[in-house]
Amino acid sequence: MSSKNILVTGGLGFIGSHTVVELINAGYFPIIIDNLSNSDLKVLDGIEKITGKKPVFYNLDILQTDDLEKILNVNNISSVIHFAAYKAVGESVEKPLDYYYNNVSGIISLLKAMQNSNVKNIIFSSSCTVYGQAADLPVTERTPLIKAESPYGNTKKICEEILYDFSKTGNVKVVSLRYFNPAGAHKSSLIGELPLGIPNNLIPYITQTAAGLRNILTIFGNNYNTPDGTCIRDYIHVVDLALAHVKSVEFINKFTDNYEVFNIGTGKGTSVLEIVNTFENINFVKLNYSIGERRKGDIEQIWADCKKANSLLGWEAKLDISDIVKDAWNWQKQLD
Ligand code: UFG
């Protein structure tokens, strides 16, 4: 039987930390590596308070292949869940080389370390960004991929291609999860999202505005071809997303093929205005917002077809946008 030891790169980040909690809840032993570039050591305490267990932690950059290899060997790792990557779309346009170096060289370094230490299973954080604006909605895993809008999006596409090519050698089994819009926080409010500086994403911008840290939320355009004119996305609660990783670990040990990709969303599209209204109604908070210009690079609408994940992973989202805005607000309220 394979060991229950799972290496989680970027395990102190937003999605990583929630996944570590759900791995522990499911009886796994997550071993975290994180270089703390966009996370905080205090997250370890949050994980310990929720689960009663403190996972092994290494402060390490995934580009340090030799050290990675040692960690993989010493800890008898059976699968790797790879979160460690830069993720800001706008910043990636300003600093493309940093993004390609960190995200693409990062995965190559990790795969080399895995090959040298004979670790075969990897679960990769991909993104619905690889679909761009699809002609037909919802998008399935067979929807054609288009040229990425940003260097960030392109790193996700390139990493998927690297994983696919490497899987063909038989050295590795890959599950690539294409996340839709992750949001929310753990219901304990002990872990959640910690955006660096001004948030780019809608939900943290809303919670920071409601908390008085930002003056006003700008809704980027209300003249799209959607029912209320604002963009539509598929918002997935971070705890549901974390559980998709646990299901992927179970799946990867069993499946005989070498490469599988899954959409991870709710299957439901929600507009920006619907999010704002739900936030106000659920939390009894008035939000200061106005309608502004469209944001460059935004697609009009996307939501997921998740039937493949439902049937092969045995996973489906259980939480909805009411849970997302409630948990995100509770998390925001207890931050300093
Ligand atoms: N939005 C606003 N105001 C804000 C922030 C966002 O109106 O202050 C709107 C956006 O225009 C968009 C929606 O809220 O319609 C969601 O925007 P986010 O920035 O939260 O999320 P995106 O859909 O733009 O980003 C997601 C993923 C990225 C991925 C990107 C690709 O979070 O990882 O899709 O388009 F790269």
Side-chain angles (χ1 to χ4, degrees), residues 121-142:
N121 300 333
I122 180 166
I123 291 144
F124 174 61
S125 297
S126 189
S127 164
C128 68
T129 190
V130 296
Y131 297 118
Q133 180 59 71
D136 296 318
L137 293 169
V139 290
T140 75
E141 292 80 358
R142 280 193 295 276

Side-chain angles (χ1 to χ4, degrees), residues 126-128 130-131 134 136-146 160 164 174-180 234 244 248 251 259-267 302-315:
S126 189
S127 164
C128 68
V130 296
Y131 297 118
D136 296 318
L137 293 169
V139 290
T140 75
E141 292 80 358
R142 280 193 295 276
T143 298
L145 308 190
I146 61 153
E160 280 200 359
Y164 179 78
V174 178
V175 166
S176 184
L177 301 181
R178 291 180 181 156
Y179 311 155
F180 282 67
D234 186 339
S248 299
F251 172 80
Y259 186 88
E260 225 34 280
V261 44
F262 295 99
N263 285 344
I264 304 294
T266 64
I302 189 164
W303 63 94
D305 177 317
C306 302
K307 287 194 203 78
K308 188 176 172 190
N310 299 161
S311 65
L312 290 187
L313 296 181
W315 170 90

Side-chain angles (χ1 to χ4, degrees), residues 87-89 127-130 132 149-150 152-153 156 179-182 199-206 216-221 224 230-233 235 271-272 290 293-295 297-300 302:
K87 62 172 186 180
V89 176
S127 164
C128 68
T129 190
V130 296
E149 277 281 345
S150 67
Y152 158 77
K156 291 295 173 192
Y179 311 155
F180 282 67
N181 284 55
N200 297 304
N201 294 115
L202 179 65
I203 308 284
Y205 207 103
I206 287 176
I216 187 164
L217 167 79
T218 304
I219 294 181
F220 297 138
Y224 284 97
T230 64
C231 291
I232 292 176
R233 298 287 184 274
Y235 295 89
S271 75
V272 178
S290 69
E293 295 294 308
R294 290 183 176 198
R295 181 171 69 177
D298 265 344
I299 58 162
E300 185 171 89
I302 189 164

